[in-house]
């Protein structure tokens, strides 16, 4: 029997190798439209490949999977992050878990994973055809099983459009048209909360000010959860930052304590909540103007309120999106309601399966998207191998 895999990325190779391990007699061929396979694996994680996550900080999959969390909760019962960790180690890739729960190859080099994938594919006799663009399933009519692992842009499959939710970017940084803010590039706040006023979207974590606006995990997570909303508003929406991630009364109390303990100090010299000095100078200047040089004892109630608001509800305008390094993640893809949730086979096209980002599943930064690729690819490999075994087994009775 023969299986065609369209897409030579992470999900495609993981699926091919597992399918051959489960069903050695299966002929497996990978078709990749570009000249190079596993390109995204190579650049991910700054070239180190953040291949999964320990999930220690995750209490609900919806925290890290804005779309697809219900399906993944089901599929994780068969193959989850612990299984992925063991799989890579068993295939010769030593892994290490960082303090932020991200998992990388111990070598800190994505080529360790790429070389393993290529070696395992060769060892199992998987055929790999590059520069091979498949534009319709009719081209694969000689294959018993077809798997689509083309990533976030499945538009080439025109016959599948009824099952496709239009893909839009879901992991990106924000452009902010505030020159004074951008002058603080390189400034990091370790625990800020970013939100979009008037919506439920908010995210907490490290926030980095860049020469174009804002980045860091807090912004990337927010962009992922609000991907569709931001796209619908042409990436022109308000943005609120709570710099210390505290409630207004707590911030007010901190300012009162500073006023009581350091009345003679200039406002700019005492930084609440350990904020970076450049950021505090910026917030004070923006809030108090000419009175920024005053002493804490001269701060009136109105100015206290303005400083409090600048700390817990600092307002900006998103003026566009910027790519996150060389990585490109989308929300959208194959509608999950159109696939069998146990096998990921198309409900409309028998023997056609989907794995990886081509599905309407996407995660925040931190190894979660690769984990979704491993889990969905393993699911499809199991489904095809079981189907192949059933079709080859002699009927009983």
């Amino acid at each position: 029997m023969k299986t065609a895999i369209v897409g030579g990325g992470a999900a495609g190779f993981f699926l091919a190798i597992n399918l051959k391990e489960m069903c050695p007699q299966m002929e497996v061929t990978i078709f990749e439209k570009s000249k190079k396979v596993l390109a995204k694996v190579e650049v991910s994680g700054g070239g180190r490949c953040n291949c999964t996550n320990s999930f220690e900080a995750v209490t609900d999959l919806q925290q890290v999977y804005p779309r697809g969390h219900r399906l993944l909760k089901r599929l994780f019962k068969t193959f989850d992050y612990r299984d992925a960790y063991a799989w890579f180690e068993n295939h010769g890739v030593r892994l290490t878990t960082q303090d932020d729960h991200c998992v990388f190859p111990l070598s800190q080099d994505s080529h360790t994973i790429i070389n393993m994938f290529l070696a395992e594919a060769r060892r199992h006799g998987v055929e790999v055809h590059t520069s091979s663009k498949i534009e319709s399933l009719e081209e694969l009519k000689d294959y018993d099983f077809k798997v689509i692992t083309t990533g976030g842009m499945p538009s080439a499959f025109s016959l599948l459009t009824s099952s496709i939710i239009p893909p839009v970017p879901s992991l990106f940084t924000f452009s902010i048209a505030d020159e004074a803010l951008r002058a603080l590039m390189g400034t990091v706040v370790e625990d800020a909360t970013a939100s979009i006023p008037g919506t439920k979207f908010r995210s907490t974590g490290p926030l980095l000010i860049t020469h174009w606006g804002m980045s860091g995990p807090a912004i990337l997570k927010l962009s992922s959860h609000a991907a569709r909303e931001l796209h619908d508003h042409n990436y022109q929406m308000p943005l609120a930052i709570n710099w210390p991630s505290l409630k207004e009364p707590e911030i007010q109390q901190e300012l009162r304590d500073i006023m009581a303990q350091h009345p003679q100090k200039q406002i700019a010299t005492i930084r609440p909540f350990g904020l970076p000095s450049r950021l505090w100078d910026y917030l004070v200047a923006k809030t108090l103007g000419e009175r920024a040089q005053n002493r804490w004892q001269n701060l009136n109630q109105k100015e206290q309120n303005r400083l409090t608001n600048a700390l817990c509800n600092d307002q900006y305008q998103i003026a566009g999106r910027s790519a996150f390094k060389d990585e490109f993640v989308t929300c959208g893809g194959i509608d999950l309601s159109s696939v069998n949730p146990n096998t990921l086979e198309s409900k409309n096209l028998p023997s056609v399966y989907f794995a990886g980002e081509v599905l309407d599943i996407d995660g925040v930064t931190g190894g979660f998207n690769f984990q979704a690729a491993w889990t969905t690819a393993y699911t499809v490999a199991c489904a095809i191998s079981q189907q192949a075994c059933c079709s080859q087994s002699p009927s009983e009775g």
Side-chain angles (χ1 to χ4, degrees):
M1 304 193 79
K2 298 166 65 177
T3 296
I5 299 173
V6 184
F13 270 84
F14 197 79
L15 196 159
I17 294 165
N18 278 283
L19 180 54
K20 288 293 289 185
E21 289 179 348
M22 298 173 190
C23 191
Q25 70 274 23
M26 178 71 68
E27 294 181 31
V28 179
T29 303
I30 295 174
F31 296 94
E32 168 56 44
K33 68 177 181 179
S34 65
K35 296 180 181 179
K36 188 177 184 179
V37 296
L38 299 165
K40 193 170 179 179
V41 174
E42 183 176 35
V43 301
S44 70
R48 297 186 297 141
C49 191
N50 181 187
C51 57
T52 187
N53 192 284
S54 71
F55 282 71
E56 287 182 25
V58 179
T59 56
D60 183 341
L61 286 185
Q62 191 171 6
Q63 293 174 303
V64 292
Y65 291 106
R67 287 150 291 272
H69 57 279
R70 291 185 182 87
L71 176 61
L72 285 177
K73 184 177 181 180
R74 175 199 293 258
L75 300 183
F76 273 9
K77 294 175 183 177
T78 300
F79 192 90
D80 67 2
Y81 48 95
R82 290 163 294 215
D83 298 309
Y85 195 107
W87 190 95
F88 280 100
E89 292 248 324
N90 291 338
H91 287 77
V93 177
R94 296 284 306 282
L95 300 176
T96 182
T97 305
Q98 297 185 163
D99 292 340
D100 61 1
H101 311 299
C102 294
V103 177
F104 290 86
L106 187 62
S107 65
Q108 300 293 308
D109 186 351
S110 61
H111 290 94
T112 303
I113 289 178
I114 292 171
N115 293 340
M116 179 273 291
F117 276 160
L118 294 175
E120 287 295 306
R122 283 194 299 270
R123 186 169 72 85
H124 288 294
V126 175
E127 289 190 35
V128 179
H129 298 300
T130 55
S131 300
S132 298
K133 186 176 182 180
I134 305 298
E135 296 186 342
S136 76
L137 296 180
E138 182 63 24
E139 297 177 52
L140 305 175
K141 62 183 179 181
D142 293 335
Y143 290 85
D144 302 284
F145 305 99
K146 281 81 73 174
V147 191
I148 314 303
T149 62
T150 50
M153 302 299 288
S155 55
F157 293 87
S158 57
L159 74 167
L160 301 177
T161 51
S162 61
S163 303
I164 291 176
I165 297 172
V168 301
S170 70
L171 195 61
F172 48 87
T173 63
F174 295 161
S175 295
I176 307 290
D178 183 328
E179 291 186 12
L181 174 76
R182 298 199 308 251
L184 307 179
M185 63 180 184
T187 299
V188 177
V189 178
E190 291 297 336
D191 197 33
T193 296
S195 62
I196 297 177
T199 75
K200 63 183 179 181
F201 301 116
R202 65 183 56 249
S203 176
T204 299
L207 188 151
L208 168 67
I209 299 174
T210 68
H211 67 275
W212 64 86
M214 294 185 188
S215 184
I219 297 298
L220 293 168
K221 284 189 285 184
L222 181 63
S223 78
S224 183
H225 284 276
R228 187 69 63 181
E229 188 103 357
L230 285 160
H231 173 268
D232 291 346
H233 287 82
N234 198 30
Y235 307 100
Q236 310 284 323
M237 295 190 76
L239 173 70
I241 306 296
N242 183 325
W243 294 106
S245 291
L246 294 172
K247 295 180 180 178
E248 188 173 314
E250 297 172 287
I251 293 174
Q252 289 175 331
Q253 186 59 53
E254 173 76 3
L255 296 183
R256 285 195 291 266
D257 290 346
I258 293 175
M259 292 173 68
Q261 296 167 15
H262 307 281
Q264 296 296 324
K265 294 283 189 179
Q266 284 190 331
I267 295 170
T269 61
I270 304 295
R271 295 175 288 122
F273 312 109
L275 291 177
S277 57
R278 289 199 299 159
L279 175 62
W280 177 239
D281 289 345
Y282 162 79
L283 293 175
V284 170
K286 182 170 77 166
T287 304
L288 303 181
E290 295 179 356
R291 291 178 58 80
Q293 301 303 316
N294 275 2
R295 301 180 191 280
W296 279 98
Q297 66 179 4
N298 297 328
L299 200 62
N300 61 42
Q301 187 60 53
K302 187 175 182 179
E303 290 168 335
Q304 291 178 47
N305 293 340
R306 286 162 60 189
L307 268 181
T308 298
N309 195 58
L311 287 165
C312 72
N313 189 31
D314 197 17
Q315 297 276 332
Y316 298 92
Q317 181 68 26
I318 300 171
R321 67 176 179 85
S322 302
F324 176 48
K325 299 181 180 178
D326 296 313
E327 300 176 43
F328 187 69
V329 176
T330 62
C331 78
I334 302 300
D335 190 335
L336 300 185
S337 67
S338 70
V339 300
N340 182 316
N342 297 311
T343 64
L344 304 183
E345 182 180 13
S346 171
K347 292 179 179 178
N348 304 318
L349 298 164
S351 300
V352 175
Y353 298 78
F354 305 97
E357 201 187 335
V358 71
L359 291 160
D360 186 24
I361 299 174
D362 63 283
V364 302
T365 184
F368 300 106
N369 285 294
F370 273 133
Q371 182 56 52
W374 314 141
T375 296
T376 54
Y378 189 88
T379 298
V380 174
C382 288
I384 292 177
S385 66
Q386 290 169 7
Q387 184 75 9
C389 288
C390 288
S391 63
Q392 292 183 354
S393 298
S395 57
E396 295 181 5

